Amino acid sequence: METEATAENSGVLDETGLGAEVRSAVGRLYRRFRSELPAGELGDTALEVLTYLHKRGPRTLTELSEAGRVAPASMSQTLNRLTSAGYAIRTPDPNDRRKVLFRTTTEGATLARATRSQRNAWLDAQLAALSPEDQRTVARACELLGAIADS
Amino acid sequence: METEATAENSGVLDETGLGAEVRSAVGRLYRRFRSELPAGELGDTALEVLTYLHKRGPRTLTELSEAGRVAPASMSQTLNRLTSAGYAIRTPDPNDRRKVLFRTTTEGATLARATRSQRNAWLDAQLAALSPEDQRTVARACELLGAIADS
DNA sequence: TATTGTTATACTCTATAACTATA
DNA sequence: TATAGTTATAGAGTATAACAATA
């Protein structure tokens, strides 16, 4: 037996079930995160882009759309929301005038830092209640799944 | 002025990082799943509701909205999509005529079974490439995170 | 009055198609 | 022609507010 069954999801962990388990858990967590989101705040998509710009530095629209695996037109609109809100700005690329470099504003950088801890308060509390071993398990799974998401 | 930040935050178990790591990994996986979705197919939300009805049996709108942690009005619209597509039907509750019991149709049950394996083909392939130990780690993390999502 | 469910409306996020500007 | 980016429009999924029907 590879894994013990989760009592309530009864038939779920069968031979082919791991993908379904991951997908279900991810979907439920994602929706849970979204349900905690106060109205008027940046959505997770926009915040993820802002955080990416903050951590990696200026990027073009094409780079951002490829990193986020969305169509360029989709990323353009997400960036419209960020720039309209004053969290990012467009700057011309001096070497290629077709390109636009997006970068965070001071407000955007502040928000990226602040929101990172604030928005995760609930989740951090839940995770803190796990045993150290379980925390390591979750951390390791995040590495593995993050790599899969980017593969 | 470059990112004084961790270029690759996979050290993970720092003082505040686990919640952020989980959130980031979940968000990137969720968006990756969504990007794999062929046009014209049921979205993950609708499919999750359909699967829930298929596994648990008939449920009222209130029960479904609480299970999915969405507003009743939101669930009503998701159910409108499922019923319009012929995958679920409304049936009156004989004991309380305010209530509506939603149940899968034959087509809905078939779809719930078929899509489950088909849609996870890509993810299953990625997971199959992991070592057995890593697979157990992911499975265990899904249990832990699933419980948090439902807490 | 309280509960159950619905419709109306708006916002985020996504897509495709059609467009402009630059290389 | 090819590439980078934008706008127009549509659909899924979410929310709140206002409503009807039943308890």
Side-chain angles (χ1 to χ4, degrees):
Chain A
M1 281 325 140
E2 60 287 272
T3 45
E4 57 273 66
T6 72
E8 54 174 37
N9 276 356
S10 59
V12 164
L13 277 180
D14 50 28
E15 315 79 274
T16 61
L18 186 51
E21 282 309 303
V22 171
R23 190 167 191 127
S24 177
V26 164
R28 283 181 295 141
L29 270 176
Y30 186 88
R31 287 188 284 275
R32 176 64 184 259
F33 295 158
R34 191 167 47 193
S35 76
E36 307 277 331
L37 182 65
E41 294 200 2
L42 282 183
D44 271 11
T45 295
L47 185 63
E48 188 86 11
V49 173
L50 187 66
T51 301
Y52 187 91
L53 286 176
H54 179 240
K55 289 202 299 189
R56 312 291 184 94
R59 288 291 188 278
T60 66
L61 180 137
T62 298
E63 288 168 340
L64 292 170
S65 72
E66 287 172 354
R69 293 181 180 274
V70 296
S74 304
M75 185 55 69
S76 185
Q77 293 166 84
T78 297
L79 289 164
N80 275 342
R81 286 191 294 275
L82 286 175
T83 54
S84 297
Y87 298 132
I89 52 170
R90 292 173 161 83
T91 57
D93 183 320
N95 302 323
D96 185 340
R97 285 187 302 170
R98 292 174 301 182
K99 296 186 180 176
V100 176
L101 283 169
F102 291 87
R103 49 186 88 224
T104 58
T105 61
T106 304
E107 294 79 10
T110 301
L111 184 69
R113 273 190 299 268
T115 310
R116 186 176 174 83
S117 54
Q118 170 195 333
R119 186 165 292 188
N120 293 138
W122 171 81
L123 182 55
D124 280 331
Q126 306 298 312
L127 293 167
L130 299 179
S131 72
E133 182 188 348
D134 283 347
Q135 290 184 29
R136 281 190 293 273
T137 296
V138 170
R140 173 65 179 150
C142 284
E143 291 180 32
L144 294 168
L145 294 175
I148 287 177
D150 292 337
S151 67
Chain B
M1 287 328 148
E2 233 346 325
T3 58
E4 81 269 7
T6 68
E8 171 66 322
N9 246 348
S10 297
V12 171
L13 272 182
D14 53 25
E15 50 277 71
T16 62
L18 186 52
E21 285 307 309
V22 170
R23 190 168 190 127
S24 176
V26 164
R28 285 181 294 141
L29 269 176
Y30 186 88
R31 287 187 285 275
R32 175 65 183 257
F33 295 158
R34 190 168 47 190
S35 77
E36 307 276 330
L37 183 65
E41 292 199 2
L42 282 183
D44 272 12
T45 296
L47 186 63
E48 190 86 11
V49 173
L50 187 65
T51 301
Y52 187 92
L53 286 175
H54 179 240
K55 290 202 300 189
R56 312 290 183 95
R59 289 290 188 280
T60 67
L61 180 135
T62 296
E63 289 167 339
L64 292 171
S65 72
E66 287 172 353
R69 294 182 180 273
V70 296
S74 303
M75 184 55 70
S76 186
Q77 293 166 83
T78 297
L79 289 164
N80 275 342
R81 286 193 294 275
L82 286 174
T83 54
S84 297
Y87 298 133
I89 52 171
R90 292 172 159 84
T91 56
D93 183 323
N95 302 323
D96 184 342
R97 285 186 303 168
R98 292 174 302 180
K99 296 186 179 176
V100 176
L101 284 169
F102 291 86
R103 50 186 88 223
T104 58
T105 62
T106 304
E107 294 80 7
T110 301
L111 184 70
R113 274 191 298 268
T115 310
R116 185 177 176 82
S117 54
Q118 170 195 330
R119 186 164 294 188
N120 293 138
W122 171 81
L123 182 56
D124 280 331
Q126 305 298 312
L127 293 167
L130 298 180
S131 71
E133 182 187 349
D134 283 347
Q135 290 184 29
R136 281 191 292 272
T137 295
V138 170
R140 175 63 179 151
C142 284
E143 291 180 35
L144 295 167
L145 294 175
I148 287 176
D150 292 337
S151 69

